[in-house]
Amino acid sequence: MGFFDVFKKNEEPAAEPSWPLTLGAVAKGAAVLMADIPDPVFSQGMVGFCCGIEPEDGKVCSPVDGVVSQVPDTLHAVGVDSQGVELLVHCGVDTVDMKGKGFTMLVKEGQKVKKGDHLMTMDLEVIKAAGRPTTIITAVTNSDDFAGVEQVATGPVQAGDGVLKVRKE
């Protein structure tokens, strides 16, 4: 070790992207198929391939290591980009009309996040009282850029369990 080596930061090399990319469940609950999401915009794949989680609690976590790409003023959703995959985590159905009521955002645009990091909290009782489904949707908004996106789990899941797989080739 040379003299100046002791002054260098101990940086770990960036991990090589691994494909296929597995997206984790954004919450503890029950994973549901895209066709069963109670919103035709999502259930028909208009926003990209997606799946839903019927949450047991209001803790919403990042499905991947990535960067927060968008946080709308209405606080009902968050975008996360990872390795060229553009994700939208949309909390509840028709919740944009709630104008942030029942949502607490814990991240900001440009922030790096790890899979499992707490992104936001949604108050399930407030959302139900407003007559809205609490389904959390994870959509790969640029699905067409990849060879395939498939759901790999349904039924009971813990936050972080693999639910979607994105294939590059």
Side-chain angles (χ1 to χ4, degrees), residues 96-111:
V96 67
D97 298 336
M98 295 178 67
K99 298 181 169 72
K101 184 177 180 193
F103 299 96
T104 304
M105 190 62 61
L106 303 173
V107 294
K108 60 183 190 282
E109 284 184 27
Q111 182 175 334

PDB file of all heavy atoms in Angstrom, residues 96-111:
ATOM      1  N   VAL A  96     -55.595  10.006  -6.877  1.00  0.00           N
ATOM      2  CA  VAL A  96     -55.071  11.317  -7.280  1.00  0.00           C
ATOM      3  C   VAL A  96     -56.048  12.414  -6.829  1.00  0.00           C
ATOM      4  O   VAL A  96     -55.638  13.501  -6.442  1.00  0.00           O
ATOM      5  CB  VAL A  96     -54.789  11.384  -8.806  1.00  0.00           C
ATOM      6  CG1 VAL A  96     -56.066  11.310  -9.615  1.00  0.00           C
ATOM      7  CG2 VAL A  96     -53.996  12.617  -9.160  1.00  0.00           C
ATOM      8  N   ASP A  97     -57.349  12.092  -6.843  1.00  0.00           N
ATOM      9  CA  ASP A  97     -58.381  13.058  -6.437  1.00  0.00           C
ATOM     10  C   ASP A  97     -58.340  13.389  -4.949  1.00  0.00           C
ATOM     11  O   ASP A  97     -58.959  14.361  -4.514  1.00  0.00           O
ATOM     12  CB  ASP A  97     -59.776  12.510  -6.765  1.00  0.00           C
ATOM     13  CG  ASP A  97     -59.958  12.285  -8.254  1.00  0.00           C
ATOM     14  OD1 ASP A  97     -59.255  12.929  -9.048  1.00  0.00           O
ATOM     15  OD2 ASP A  97     -60.810  11.442  -8.620  1.00  0.00           O
ATOM     16  N   MET A  98     -57.607  12.596  -4.157  1.00  0.00           N
ATOM     17  CA  MET A  98     -57.534  12.839  -2.712  1.00  0.00           C
ATOM     18  C   MET A  98     -56.550  13.962  -2.381  1.00  0.00           C
ATOM     19  O   MET A  98     -56.464  14.396  -1.235  1.00  0.00           O
ATOM     20  CB  MET A  98     -57.174  11.550  -1.979  1.00  0.00           C
ATOM     21  CG  MET A  98     -58.270  10.491  -2.107  1.00  0.00           C
ATOM     22  SD  MET A  98     -57.863   8.939  -1.308  1.00  0.00           S
ATOM     23  CE  MET A  98     -57.845   9.441   0.417  1.00  0.00           C
ATOM     24  N   LYS A  99     -55.788  14.401  -3.384  1.00  0.00           N
ATOM     25  CA  LYS A  99     -54.868  15.544  -3.252  1.00  0.00           C
ATOM     26  C   LYS A  99     -53.918  15.431  -2.055  1.00  0.00           C
ATOM     27  O   LYS A  99     -53.677  16.384  -1.336  1.00  0.00           O
ATOM     28  CB  LYS A  99     -55.650  16.843  -3.189  1.00  0.00           C
ATOM     29  CG  LYS A  99     -56.456  17.114  -4.445  1.00  0.00           C
ATOM     30  CD  LYS A  99     -57.199  18.408  -4.366  1.00  0.00           C
ATOM     31  CE  LYS A  99     -57.791  18.830  -5.659  1.00  0.00           C
ATOM     32  NZ  LYS A  99     -58.897  18.170  -6.198  1.00  0.00           N
ATOM     33  N   GLY A 100     -53.408  14.219  -1.842  1.00  0.00           N
ATOM     34  CA  GLY A 100     -52.415  14.002  -0.789  1.00  0.00           C
ATOM     35  C   GLY A 100     -52.974  13.568   0.551  1.00  0.00           C
ATOM     36  O   GLY A 100     -52.216  13.115   1.418  1.00  0.00           O
ATOM     37  N   LYS A 101     -54.278  13.686   0.747  1.00  0.00           N
ATOM     38  CA  LYS A 101     -54.869  13.292   2.027  1.00  0.00           C
ATOM     39  C   LYS A 101     -54.708  11.782   2.225  1.00  0.00           C
ATOM     40  O   LYS A 101     -55.094  10.991   1.368  1.00  0.00           O
ATOM     41  CB  LYS A 101     -56.350  13.665   2.071  1.00  0.00           C
ATOM     42  CG  LYS A 101     -56.992  13.373   3.399  1.00  0.00           C
ATOM     43  CD  LYS A 101     -58.430  13.817   3.451  1.00  0.00           C
ATOM     44  CE  LYS A 101     -58.991  13.486   4.816  1.00  0.00           C
ATOM     45  NZ  LYS A 101     -60.428  13.594   4.860  1.00  0.00           N
ATOM     46  N   GLY A 102     -54.090  11.399   3.332  1.00  0.00           N
ATOM     47  CA  GLY A 102     -53.885   9.994   3.638  1.00  0.00           C
ATOM     48  C   GLY A 102     -52.528   9.463   3.199  1.00  0.00           C
ATOM     49  O   GLY A 102     -52.246   8.284   3.378  1.00  0.00           O
ATOM     50  N   PHE A 103     -51.689  10.324   2.625  1.00  0.00           N
ATOM     51  CA  PHE A 103     -50.379   9.897   2.127  1.00  0.00           C
ATOM     52  C   PHE A 103     -49.260  10.719   2.760  1.00  0.00           C
ATOM     53  O   PHE A 103     -49.388  11.931   2.896  1.00  0.00           O
ATOM     54  CB  PHE A 103     -50.301  10.046   0.604  1.00  0.00           C
ATOM     55  CG  PHE A 103     -51.312   9.217  -0.112  1.00  0.00           C
ATOM     56  CD1 PHE A 103     -52.523   9.757  -0.509  1.00  0.00           C
ATOM     57  CD2 PHE A 103     -51.080   7.875  -0.364  1.00  0.00           C
ATOM     58  CE1 PHE A 103     -53.476   8.996  -1.152  1.00  0.00           C
ATOM     59  CE2 PHE A 103     -52.027   7.095  -1.011  1.00  0.00           C
ATOM     60  CZ  PHE A 103     -53.233   7.657  -1.404  1.00  0.00           C
ATOM     61  N   THR A 104     -48.172  10.063   3.114  1.00  0.00           N
ATOM     62  CA  THR A 104     -46.975  10.738   3.625  1.00  0.00           C
ATOM     63  C   THR A 104     -45.785  10.251   2.808  1.00  0.00           C
ATOM     64  O   THR A 104     -45.449   9.060   2.842  1.00  0.00           O
ATOM     65  CB  THR A 104     -46.744  10.403   5.117  1.00  0.00           C
ATOM     66  OG1 THR A 104     -47.920  10.762   5.850  1.00  0.00           O
ATOM     67  CG2 THR A 104     -45.538  11.152   5.665  1.00  0.00           C
ATOM     68  N   MET A 105     -45.167  11.151   2.052  1.00  0.00           N
ATOM     69  CA  MET A 105     -44.012  10.804   1.222  1.00  0.00           C
ATOM     70  C   MET A 105     -42.752  10.906   2.072  1.00  0.00           C
ATOM     71  O   MET A 105     -42.574  11.864   2.826  1.00  0.00           O
ATOM     72  CB  MET A 105     -43.926  11.766   0.029  1.00  0.00           C
ATOM     73  CG  MET A 105     -42.921  11.369  -1.017  1.00  0.00           C
ATOM     74  SD  MET A 105     -43.229   9.773  -1.834  1.00  0.00           S
ATOM     75  CE  MET A 105     -44.820  10.043  -2.612  1.00  0.00           C
ATOM     76  N   LEU A 106     -41.884   9.918   1.967  1.00  0.00           N
ATOM     77  CA  LEU A 106     -40.671   9.869   2.774  1.00  0.00           C
ATOM     78  C   LEU A 106     -39.397  10.048   1.940  1.00  0.00           C
ATOM     79  O   LEU A 106     -38.299  10.011   2.494  1.00  0.00           O
ATOM     80  CB  LEU A 106     -40.609   8.539   3.538  1.00  0.00           C
ATOM     81  CG  LEU A 106     -41.813   8.262   4.428  1.00  0.00           C
ATOM     82  CD1 LEU A 106     -41.741   6.861   4.994  1.00  0.00           C
ATOM     83  CD2 LEU A 106     -41.900   9.292   5.540  1.00  0.00           C
ATOM     84  N   VAL A 107     -39.544  10.209   0.619  1.00  0.00           N
ATOM     85  CA  VAL A 107     -38.397  10.365  -0.272  1.00  0.00           C
ATOM     86  C   VAL A 107     -38.618  11.589  -1.159  1.00  0.00           C
ATOM     87  O   VAL A 107     -39.722  12.122  -1.231  1.00  0.00           O
ATOM     88  CB  VAL A 107     -38.180   9.110  -1.149  1.00  0.00           C
ATOM     89  CG1 VAL A 107     -37.791   7.910  -0.294  1.00  0.00           C
ATOM     90  CG2 VAL A 107     -39.415   8.798  -1.995  1.00  0.00           C
ATOM     91  N   LYS A 108     -37.552  12.000  -1.848  1.00  0.00           N
ATOM     92  CA  LYS A 108     -37.668  13.120  -2.784  1.00  0.00           C
ATOM     93  C   LYS A 108     -37.021  12.739  -4.115  1.00  0.00           C
ATOM     94  O   LYS A 108     -36.227  11.798  -4.186  1.00  0.00           O
ATOM     95  CB  LYS A 108     -37.032  14.375  -2.203  1.00  0.00           C
ATOM     96  CG  LYS A 108     -35.565  14.259  -1.870  1.00  0.00           C
ATOM     97  CD  LYS A 108     -35.071  15.550  -1.241  1.00  0.00           C
ATOM     98  CE  LYS A 108     -33.589  15.598  -1.109  1.00  0.00           C
ATOM     99  NZ  LYS A 108     -32.961  14.893  -0.066  1.00  0.00           N
ATOM    100  N   GLU A 109     -37.364  13.476  -5.163  1.00  0.00           N
ATOM    101  CA  GLU A 109     -36.808  13.207  -6.486  1.00  0.00           C
ATOM    102  C   GLU A 109     -35.288  13.275  -6.434  1.00  0.00           C
ATOM    103  O   GLU A 109     -34.710  14.144  -5.772  1.00  0.00           O
ATOM    104  CB  GLU A 109     -37.344  14.201  -7.506  1.00  0.00           C
ATOM    105  CG  GLU A 109     -38.763  13.913  -7.913  1.00  0.00           C
ATOM    106  CD  GLU A 109     -39.280  14.840  -8.999  1.00  0.00           C
ATOM    107  OE1 GLU A 109     -38.482  15.371  -9.797  1.00  0.00           O
ATOM    108  OE2 GLU A 109     -40.515  15.026  -9.049  1.00  0.00           O
ATOM    109  N   GLY A 110     -34.661  12.341  -7.130  1.00  0.00           N
ATOM    110  CA  GLY A 110     -33.205  12.291  -7.189  1.00  0.00           C
ATOM    111  C   GLY A 110     -32.561  11.479  -6.084  1.00  0.00           C
ATOM    112  O   GLY A 110     -31.362  11.204  -6.131  1.00  0.00           O
ATOM    113  N   GLN A 111     -33.337  11.067  -5.101  1.00  0.00           N
ATOM    114  CA  GLN A 111     -32.803  10.309  -3.971  1.00  0.00           C
ATOM    115  C   GLN A 111     -32.545   8.857  -4.368  1.00  0.00           C
ATOM    116  O   GLN A 111     -33.362   8.229  -5.033  1.00  0.00           O
ATOM    117  CB  GLN A 111     -33.807  10.363  -2.810  1.00  0.00           C
ATOM    118  CG  GLN A 111     -33.348   9.654  -1.563  1.00  0.00           C
ATOM    119  CD  GLN A 111     -34.339   9.841  -0.413  1.00  0.00           C
ATOM    120  OE1 GLN A 111     -35.077  10.813  -0.362  1.00  0.00           O
ATOM    121  NE2 GLN A 111     -34.349   8.888   0.496  1.00  0.00           N
TER     122      GLN A 111
END
